[in-house]
Amino acid sequence: MLRDGNPQHWKLLIFYYKPEESRLFVAKRSGLPWTLNFARPTAWVITGATIAILTTLAAINNIHSIR
């Protein structure tokens, strides 16, 4: 997987955004092996679902710790 070092495709230095790219997962500039292409709607669904699951689990944990 080729790394895209073009700064125009990296928003806030960490979010990959390239509408012409058909892949959902792309190689990161450094660090972890992959990131999402946020120009694809599926990336936003994955991110939103992950945040929703983590928020729900944190709320459930908080409710159980109060009892």
Side-chain angles (χ1 to χ4, degrees), residues 17-38:
Y17 188 91
K18 184 178 178 186
E20 303 85 30
E21 179 69 58
S22 62
R23 295 179 296 163
L24 176 61
F25 292 97
V26 295
K28 288 188 75 170
R29 291 175 13 175
S30 63
L32 297 172
W34 305 288
T35 189
L36 293 169
N37 180 3
F38 283 94

Side-chain angles (χ1 to χ4, degrees), residues 62-67:
N62 191 28
I63 290 169
H64 286 293
S65 67
I66 293 173
R67 291 182 185 180

